[in-house]
């Protein structure tokens, strides 16, 4: 009888012990789960705090405005194209675009550097990083706007026909131009309208070169920008014996940066401020292009 009672007591003790062990195991499991959850919550909080900082760093890396300011120089791609960009008697680049580019660079706190480029390769020059922008009386064509981050238009322009003044009466419409041999700037809007109108043409390096072709007798006519014609052709200019006749197209100028660049938006803001402060009007009057300003 005593042995039976002892066995029952031992069995009860073992059951109690096992219950206690099970309870402690559950407590350990619950404690471990709670600890893991706390760690995950802490890590998530740290990640959330770090994300804005990482995003800010990414924005800084992607900002061309920041890159230019760190570099300290804005490199502007141009050609010899009065009254937009040309050299003065001292060899300095001046003109409406050149002066505006210098003013924009100053607003960014950097210097401006002008680099003369082959106009036909302007997109390659930009994408290669050789220049930071194309700012040279650039027509906002579909090709340009698809390849560059362009500003809003700031000047009106037209492509016009230049001939010798003594022959002007013969060439007053498009049909009369078919017999002429034209000189046009390679890769320019002038070359495009010559092609569109089925005209005979030879491409030269720049618009100034196209005028020289007429003067030398190697071309009958040229197609150039109306703004350049106003500064370069007619009485009181280097080409007093030339004049313009037919306008072949109307267009607008803009400035081009690398695709996605925030410099385009920065320049749009500067154009707006410069217009409000009278800076653009003042520079435009100096170079005789005030009537073409888009306000």
């Amino acid at each position: 009888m005593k042995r039976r009672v002892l066995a029952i007591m031992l069995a009860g003790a073992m059951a109690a012990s096992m219950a206690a062990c099970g309870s402690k195991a559950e407590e350990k499991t619950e404690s471990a789960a709670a600890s893991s959850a706390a760690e995950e919550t802490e890590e998530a909080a740290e990640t959330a705090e770090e994300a804005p900082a990482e995003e800010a760093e990414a924005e800084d890396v992607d900002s061309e405005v920041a890159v230019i300011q760190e570099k300290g120089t804005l490199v502007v791609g141009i050609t010899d194209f009065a009254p937009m960009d040309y050299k003065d008697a001292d060899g300095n680049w001046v003109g409406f675009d050149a002066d505006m580019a210098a003013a924009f660079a100053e607003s960014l706190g950097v210097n401006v550097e002008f680099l003369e480029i082959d106009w036909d390769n302007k997109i390659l020059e930009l994408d290669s990083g050789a220049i930071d922008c194309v700012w040279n009386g650039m027509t906002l064509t579909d090709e340009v706007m698809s390849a560059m981050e362009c500003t809003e238009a700031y000047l009106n322009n037209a492509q016009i026909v230049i001939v010798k003044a003594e022959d002007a009466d013969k060439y007053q419409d498009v049909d009369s131009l078919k017999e002429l041999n034209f000189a046009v700037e390679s890769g320019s809007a002038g070359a495009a309208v010559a092609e569109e109108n089925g005209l005979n043409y030879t491409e030269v390096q720049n618009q100034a070169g196209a005028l020289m072709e007429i003067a030398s007798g190697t071309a009958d006519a040229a197609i150039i920008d109306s703004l350049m014609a106003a500064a370069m052709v007619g009485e009181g200019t280097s080409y007093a014996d030339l004049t313009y006749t037919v306008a072949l197209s109307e267009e607008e100028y803009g400035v081009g940066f690398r695709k996605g660049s925030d410099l385009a938006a920065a320049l749009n803001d500067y154009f707006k401020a410069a217009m409000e402060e009278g800076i653009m009007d003042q520079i435009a009057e100096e170079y005789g292009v005030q009537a073409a300003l888009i306000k």
Side-chain angles (χ1 to χ4, degrees):
M1 182 70 178
K2 287 181 180 180
R3 289 180 181 177
R4 187 176 178 184
V5 171
L6 180 59
I8 292 171
M9 290 176 66
L10 287 173
M14 288 177 66
S17 176
M18 289 176 66
C21 288
S23 176
K24 287 179 182 179
E26 288 176 3
E27 287 176 2
K28 285 182 180 179
T29 301
E30 290 175 358
S31 176
S35 177
S36 177
E39 287 175 1
E40 289 177 1
T41 302
E42 185 177 348
E43 287 176 3
E46 289 175 356
T47 302
E49 289 176 359
E50 290 171 1
E54 289 174 356
E55 289 174 4
E57 287 177 6
E59 288 176 2
D60 287 343
V61 170
D62 293 337
S63 170
E64 286 212 339
V65 171
V67 170
I68 295 302
Q69 288 175 327
E70 183 176 354
K71 183 174 68 170
T73 305
L74 177 71
V75 182
V76 180
I78 60 173
T79 67
D80 186 357
F81 174 27
M84 312 311 290
D85 298 298
Y86 62 98
K87 287 185 177 180
D88 63 13
D90 297 322
N92 299 312
W93 286 102
V94 296
F96 178 74
D97 279 351
D99 286 10
M100 285 299 300
F104 175 57
E106 183 179 355
S107 76
L108 295 177
V110 302
N111 297 318
V112 66
E113 177 184 333
F114 297 104
L115 182 63
E116 197 166 5
I117 62 173
D118 182 337
W119 192 246
D120 204 24
N121 294 329
K122 56 186 176 291
I123 295 172
L124 292 174
E125 296 278 10
L126 186 61
D127 289 344
S128 72
I131 57 176
D132 298 314
C133 65
V134 180
W135 197 334
N136 190 73
M138 182 175 67
T139 302
L140 293 173
T141 64
D142 291 341
E143 178 190 12
V144 163
M145 290 189 290
S146 65
M148 302 182 192
E149 194 72 28
C150 295
T151 64
E152 296 172 2
Y154 63 94
L155 278 180
N156 288 308
N157 184 52
Q159 293 300 312
I160 59 175
V161 173
I162 306 296
V163 297
K164 290 183 177 179
E166 61 190 34
D167 298 328
D169 291 342
K170 302 177 186 177
Y171 308 111
Q172 294 296 320
D173 56 45
V174 175
D175 288 339
S176 65
L177 306 176
K178 302 294 184 180
E179 65 185 62
L180 299 178
N181 293 313
F182 283 86
V184 298
E185 180 182 36
S186 179
S188 68
V193 296
E195 182 71 24
E196 289 169 9
N197 287 280
L199 303 177
N200 301 314
Y201 65 92
T202 299
E203 293 183 310
V204 297
Q205 185 174 5
N206 52 44
Q207 296 189 60
L211 295 178
M212 290 178 65
E213 294 291 321
I214 308 175
S216 66
T218 54
D220 302 315
I223 301 172
I224 68 171
D225 291 38
S226 61
L227 290 172
M228 182 178 191
M232 297 284 288
V233 171
E235 188 176 349
T237 71
S238 300
Y239 296 98
D241 60 335
L242 302 183
T243 190
Y244 60 89
T245 58
V246 184
L248 297 175
S249 70
E250 294 182 354
E251 59 198 33
E252 296 175 331
Y253 285 167
V255 180
F257 299 90
R258 276 178 285 279
K259 204 67 179 174
S261 173
D262 57 348
L263 281 164
L267 181 52
N268 280 333
D269 291 341
Y270 179 74
F271 277 155
K272 182 178 179 180
M275 187 68 75
E276 291 174 353
E277 295 169 12
I279 296 172
M280 287 189 79
D281 280 307
Q282 182 181 346
I283 297 175
E285 287 175 12
E286 182 177 350
Y287 295 102
V289 300
Q290 63 270 29
L293 273 179
I294 297 175
K295 299 184 178 182

